[in-house]
Amino acid sequence: MSEISGAAGDVVWQSSPPGSIYDYIRAASFSIGPDGLIDQWSERAAELFGMGPHQVRGRDPVEVLMPSELRPRGRRKVKEILDGKEWTGLVPFRAVGGRGPQGLAEVYVMPSETESGERAALCIVVDVHALRRIETDLASSQAIFGQSPFAFLLFGTDLKVRRANERFATVFGGGVTDHRGRTAYDYLSRAEADRLTAALTRVLETGQPVTDLQIVGVRPSDQERRNWSMNLYRVHNGSGRALGIAGVGTDVTHRHAAAREAASARRNLALLNEASARIGSSLDLETTARELLDVAVPGFCDLASVDLYQSLLTGEEAPPGRWESSGAESGGGSARLRRVAFASAVSDGPLTAPVGTDDEEYVPPEVGAVHRFPFSSLSASALRSGQVRAIPGEPGSLVQSSFAVPMVAHDTVIGLVSFSRTKGSEPFGERDRALAVELAARAAVCIDNARLYRREHERALILQRSLLPPGDPEAAGLDIACRYLPGNTATEVGGDWFDVIELPGHRTALVVGDVMGRGLRAAVAMGELRTAVRTLALLDLEPAEVLSALDEIARGLGTPSGAQQASRVAHKSRDADLSEVYLATCVYAVYDPVTRRCTFANAGHLPPALVEPGEKALMLDVPPGMPLGVGGEPFEQVEVDLPEGALLALYTDGLVESRDQPLDEGLTALRAALANAGRPLEDVCDHVLSTLNTGHGEDDVALLMARIQGLPTDAVGDWQLPREPRSVGRARELSRAQLLAWDLEPLVDTVELLVSELVTNALRYGEGEIRLRLLRDRTLVCEVWDGGLVQPRRRRARDTDEGGRGLQLVGLLSAAWGSRRTPRGKSVWFELALPDGGSVPAEPTVEQLLSMY
């Protein structure tokens, strides 16, 4: 039976439950009578020695329990005990029938008396091995509990502290006894105490331990916020009865700090990796700025904005000033900036990040607005110094901390990015400062690259547009419509071009070409080739000859010279790339409105399309030839008679070919789109472009369309003249009559004079029959043909010469003149502007006439 105190102080008796201290120490008892023999034997003695009462009662204890070699001494001790002497000692023992000692007992012998007054003895026996085990367990428990560097607590079943070690007392103050009877609510906030109490209850009820329970609290000594890791497990006796809960607490504040630092480092690395992948995916300034904010918000901050110098956005060459005086009203400020991007992860947040200024008149700009930061602001200071400025949050503001980070590219500040965190987020630290600088630097390089690309792209576009025919080209006997569609802003400038060139005799050269490659070099090559085509066209060469000469020019443009030629072998791959830029395809066609005949030559270009009235569109069978710049192969030309009203289309591959549309399908679609060619030519152009879906933006598109009209018969005067002197007079008569029929009387005198000069030269220096032709269209053209191959050459006559001034006179009185070879000789021509409203072309002055002599 054991005794405990009740709630009212009453004594309550109860049986000792299993697993009591007696079970652990294995205590037993027996008694020795006056005769020295065992007279009482307890059940625990039977368990300890393995012998029942009937086996030992009435026998000599020394004989029963002790080995034979110890029996003489044992009998002496028994005698002394019966004489009234107490004795305590260690005695080896063995069970009945055993061989040798089986255990070691610590025996407590106390003399006693019987009812008759005789001497007897009461013996208490404890198993020494059990005692040693208990001592070891107690020492281990004390070492763990008392000497452990961890905070150790023992909670009772009522969840109150029963025992605390020195380490716990050191952290929470007082002595170890001062903490007895306390609960979790005496150390932690209510929320954290509720969590710990719930865990203690769960462990006590289920017996399942709880490991690494994270508890947050403060140390009373310094009120410093700490993190503890708690391990809880239930303590019970040998029979399994719960005695309480043991708790081991470890201060993991530094580990948490290190984990936060590691998490921050991983987050920063992830942000930098994301920034590398996302920022700069396009060559557009505004898009790049938005990509920066997409990475930063909300992964790095809650608010962010990007401001770029206005001068960079407008394409000015000079670097932006870092500070400007903006007038007496504002007192000065930064150079003008444009807000190009803003992002916020806070729905009710401010419109913009703070700039660190006390200027009450400063109004935060909206996206797209041009503004200046006040001179006294931290943002303006960041721009001036090129250094990061930390901007503290204002009282009552949602923003608690900000960084104003200058965007620096190639040692030049190009703008400012602001990062802000609102209340509820962790304030910026030094590691965040470094990340902010890195993000801004990466974005600055991409934005500067986008700015440089935009500048070069605009230059190339200006160059390319300047080389295309302005407005709507006009040509005799042709109704012309053209379209040029550049690729989208993300596509580099291409080398597509088209041209309409007026040739002598109211003929027209139609040109469409495409330089292989992209960028400024392709645009420059296109300009050089277009200029060469115009120059060759003025020589009035045959189309095949034009392409042959153009091929030589293209090869010359793509071939290194001088020092580059000397190192050609060492730079073979570089030269190959350079030559490839000047590879080009081209179609050159010459149309004669008098004969309605068109001569084509092709250098690797797509075939022209022709739609005759009432017929389906077809591709002209023009020998394709090799691209310009390849060389080694002659070009062929073909003549095609074009009926009145026919439609001719020249185009580049961007119209019919793309990643999603093979060339054959594109050509088929083009023929189908030209089915209704009888509509107005401008409408036909628009229909072709919309039908073929050229909005893919992968390549430039050039489309040149011409409807055949031809010169009316009454607009042409054509005569054959014999080779004799009287043909000069005959030529004047025919010219006068034709001009009068055309109501061009103001031009009669001039034409008669100039025709006389050309026919006289044909008689004097030419061969064969003479042909005179007058053509009236937008201008008047006069041509004199003969079979001679010698081209006329203008020269200055000496004062004593009677002749030699005819061509000078032609050049003086005509708007233009020249000569060209023909299949049977040559043609010398001049051109005059038609009278406008009855006005007469200006006569040459006396000084101009005297200059001929």
Side-chain angles (χ1 to χ4, degrees):
M1 302 292 288
S2 62
E3 176 186 279
I4 62 173
S5 298
D10 298 333
V11 176
V12 179
W13 298 89
Q14 67 177 26
S15 298
S16 177
S20 66
I21 187 63
Y22 299 106
D23 292 330
Y24 285 104
I25 62 176
R26 299 185 67 186
S29 64
F30 64 90
S31 63
I32 301 176
D35 56 0
L37 302 178
I38 298 173
D39 60 355
Q40 292 184 7
W41 188 259
S42 68
E43 292 183 1
R44 288 187 177 269
E47 293 176 3
L48 178 63
F49 294 105
M51 295 177 289
H54 63 280
Q55 294 176 290
V56 296
R57 188 178 292 124
R59 297 183 60 184
D60 183 358
V62 175
E63 184 72 22
V64 172
L65 301 176
M66 298 184 69
S68 58
E69 65 272 12
L70 298 178
R71 289 173 184 172
R73 184 181 177 187
R75 290 189 177 92
R76 290 196 299 272
K77 293 295 181 182
V78 171
K79 184 178 180 181
E80 293 177 357
I81 291 169
L82 294 178
D83 290 338
K85 185 178 180 181
E86 291 186 359
W87 181 82
T88 300
L90 297 177
V91 178
F93 67 88
R94 62 178 177 84
V96 175
R99 297 180 180 179
Q102 293 184 355
L104 185 65
E106 186 169 348
V107 182
Y108 302 90
V109 182
M110 295 168 285
S112 62
E113 291 184 359
T114 64
E115 293 180 356
S116 59
E118 294 179 300
R119 296 282 186 180
L122 177 62
C123 300
I124 304 298
V125 182
V126 178
D127 188 348
V128 172
H129 294 296
L131 288 177
R132 296 294 180 268
R133 186 168 59 252
I134 292 173
E135 290 177 354
T136 301
D137 292 345
L138 289 174
S140 300
S141 175
Q142 182 62 31
I144 295 173
F145 199 89
Q147 302 173 20
S148 172
F150 308 112
F152 226 113
L153 284 175
L154 181 61
F155 293 91
T157 55
D158 56 358
L159 306 186
K160 293 182 179 180
V161 177
R162 290 285 180 257
R163 186 177 178 186
N165 68 349
E166 289 290 344
R167 177 59 182 168
F168 184 86
T170 301
V171 174
F172 287 95
V176 292
T177 58
D178 296 334
H179 297 279
R180 292 176 182 170
R182 294 184 179 181
T183 65
Y185 294 92
D186 295 313
Y187 304 102
L188 303 172
S189 65
R190 185 170 187 82
E192 291 296 289
D194 287 343
R195 291 180 58 241
L196 179 57
T197 301
L200 290 171
T201 302
R202 186 166 63 253
V203 172
L204 185 62
E205 292 176 351
T206 64
Q208 295 295 323
V210 171
T211 59
D212 198 23
L213 175 64
Q214 298 296 313
I215 300 295
V216 179
V218 296
R219 292 193 307 192
S221 58
D222 53 13
Q223 293 298 311
E224 181 182 357
R225 180 185 176 93
R226 311 295 292 181
N227 295 86
W228 289 289
S229 172
M230 294 291 297
N231 295 313
L232 306 174
Y233 56 93
R234 190 172 70 181
V235 179
H236 50 78
N237 60 15
S239 64
R241 183 170 63 89
L243 301 178
I245 307 103
V248 182
T250 306
D251 191 336
V252 293
T253 303
H254 294 297
R255 189 175 73 187
H256 270 255
R260 285 196 301 271
E261 287 292 318
S264 176
R266 288 193 297 270
R267 182 199 64 188
N268 292 352
L269 288 175
L271 277 173
L272 289 177
N273 183 60
E274 184 181 4
S276 300
R278 297 182 61 180
I279 299 177
S281 62
S282 69
L283 290 173
D284 180 75
L285 281 78
E286 290 79 4
T287 302
T288 303
R290 288 193 296 270
E291 290 170 345
L292 167 62
L293 301 193
D294 289 342
V295 172
V297 179
F300 176 64
C301 62
D302 301 315
L303 301 170
S305 61
V306 177
D307 298 277
L308 299 178
Y309 278 118
Q310 177 70 358
S311 57
L312 295 178
L313 298 173
T314 55
E316 297 179 15
E317 291 293 334
R322 294 185 179 177
W323 178 81
E324 292 179 357
S325 175
S326 56
E329 296 81 7
S330 61
S334 66
R336 294 190 306 159
L337 300 106
R338 184 192 304 173
R339 177 142 298 178
V340 296
F342 173 76
S344 172
V346 184
S347 58
D348 56 347
L351 293 178
T352 184
V355 298
T357 179
D358 296 330
D359 188 353
E360 297 181 355
E361 298 181 358
Y362 176 74
V363 178
E366 297 181 353
V367 175
V370 178
H371 67 103
R372 288 186 174 94
F373 289 120
F375 179 80
S376 60
S377 66
L378 292 174
S379 294
S381 174
L383 288 171
R384 290 192 301 269
S385 63
Q387 301 295 321
V388 182
R389 293 290 184 264
I391 304 176
E394 299 178 359
S397 173
L398 182 65
V399 177
Q400 68 168 336
S401 63
S402 301
F403 282 140
V405 186
M407 305 180 75
V408 182
H410 305 104
D411 298 326
T412 301
V413 177
I414 64 173
L416 185 79
V417 57
S418 299
F419 302 107
S420 299
R421 287 183 180 174
T422 57
K423 293 181 178 179
S425 299
E426 185 177 353
F428 284 126
E430 285 302 315
R431 187 185 296 273
D432 297 317
R433 176 190 291 261
L435 178 60
V437 172
E438 181 64 24
L439 288 175
R442 295 193 180 197
V445 172
C446 294
I447 287 176
D448 195 53
N449 290 340
R451 176 185 68 86
L452 295 175
Y453 170 78
R454 174 183 289 184
R455 184 184 67 184
E456 296 303 318
H457 189 263
E458 289 176 351
R459 289 178 177 177
L461 285 177
I462 292 172
L463 172 63
Q464 190 174 40
R465 301 300 186 272
S466 66
L467 296 176
L468 296 175
D472 297 325
E474 295 181 354
L478 292 175
D479 182 15
I480 294 179
C482 54
R483 294 290 187 274
Y484 181 83
L485 299 180
N488 57 35
T489 55
T491 305
E492 293 188 50
V493 175
D496 293 13
W497 92 91
F498 66 91
D499 208 346
V500 178
I501 306 171
E502 294 186 40
L503 299 178
H506 283 316
R507 294 171 305 130
T508 303
L510 303 176
V511 188
V512 169
D514 184 2
V515 176
M516 297 181 186
R518 294 189 177 278
L520 187 59
R521 295 177 67 190
V524 170
M526 179 268 284
E528 292 174 324
L529 292 177
R530 178 179 180 272
T531 302
V533 169
R534 280 191 159 265
T535 303
L536 294 170
L538 293 178
L539 299 177
D540 210 355
L541 302 176
E542 293 294 326
E545 294 177 334
V546 170
L547 292 186
S548 295
L550 198 61
D551 178 60
E552 293 292 334
I553 294 173
R555 282 190 290 164
L557 293 175
T559 303
S561 59
Q564 290 180 330
Q565 185 70 31
S567 58
R568 185 180 183 87
V569 176
H571 300 84
K572 183 176 180 180
S573 61
R574 179 178 180 275
D575 294 343
D577 293 340
L578 183 61
S579 298
E580 186 178 359
V581 173
Y582 291 100
L583 290 177
T585 62
C586 180
V587 168
Y588 186 87
V590 175
Y591 172 69
D592 188 341
V594 178
T595 62
R596 294 184 179 85
R597 181 173 297 159
C598 192
T599 305
F600 295 91
N602 190 354
H605 202 80
L606 296 174
L610 177 64
V611 186
E612 296 185 3
E615 300 292 338
K616 294 183 179 180
L618 56 89
M619 297 297 170
L620 291 178
D621 186 13
V622 180
M626 299 297 291
L628 301 175
V630 175
E633 293 293 333
F635 295 97
E636 299 180 46
Q637 65 184 41
V638 295
E639 291 185 353
V640 179
D641 291 326
L642 304 178
E644 185 78 14
L647 182 65
L648 180 66
L650 306 179
Y651 52 91
T652 57
D653 58 357
L655 180 68
V656 295
E657 186 178 25
S658 68
R659 293 189 181 95
D660 302 325
Q661 178 176 270
L663 179 59
D664 292 341
E665 294 182 8
L667 294 176
T668 301
L670 175 60
R671 289 195 297 269
L674 293 172
N676 297 322
R679 294 184 295 177
L681 198 56
E682 295 291 338
D683 294 343
V684 176
C685 276
D686 294 336
H687 176 71
V688 168
L689 294 179
S690 61
T691 303
L692 295 184
N693 189 24
T694 57
H696 49 70
E698 297 174 5
D699 195 3
D700 293 357
V701 174
L703 175 63
L704 178 61
M705 303 187 75
R707 176 167 283 128
I708 307 303
Q709 294 178 343
L711 287 180
T713 305
D714 58 2
V716 179
D718 195 349
W719 306 276
Q720 296 288 337
L721 299 175
R723 190 172 187 78
E724 54 187 31
R726 63 188 182 90
S727 293
V728 177
R730 180 59 178 165
R732 286 198 299 266
E733 293 173 1
L734 294 173
S735 300
R736 171 181 288 273
Q738 187 65 67
L739 292 177
L740 292 177
W742 286 340
D743 293 328
L744 298 178
E745 185 178 355
L747 301 181
V748 170
D749 293 339
T750 303
V751 172
E752 282 186 332
L753 175 60
L754 299 184
V755 166
S756 297
E757 292 293 336
L758 295 187
V759 174
T760 299
N761 283 346
L763 289 172
R764 182 177 300 177
Y765 305 108
E767 298 177 6
E769 281 192 337
I770 299 173
R771 179 184 177 188
L772 172 64
R773 188 168 73 169
L774 293 179
L775 305 175
R776 188 198 66 182
D777 192 67
R778 291 176 293 112
T779 62
L780 177 68
V781 174
C782 176
E783 298 176 312
V784 176
W785 310 55
D786 70 77
L789 298 178
V790 178
Q791 297 292 320
R793 180 173 60 88
R794 184 176 178 179
R795 63 184 179 87
R796 178 173 292 277
R798 293 174 295 182
D799 295 343
T800 57
D801 290 343
E802 295 182 0
R805 297 178 178 87
L807 292 182
Q808 293 186 48
L809 188 62
V810 173
L812 182 63
L813 296 179
S814 65
W817 79 277
S819 67
R820 62 186 178 92
R821 290 183 300 169
T822 65
R824 297 182 181 87
K826 68 177 180 296
S827 171
V828 182
W829 58 271
F830 65 85
E831 184 176 358
L832 292 174
L834 298 180
D836 185 9
S839 62
V840 180
E843 295 289 342
T845 64
V846 176
E847 289 77 7
Q848 290 175 324
L849 291 173
L850 292 177
S851 66
M852 296 169 26
Y853 294 91

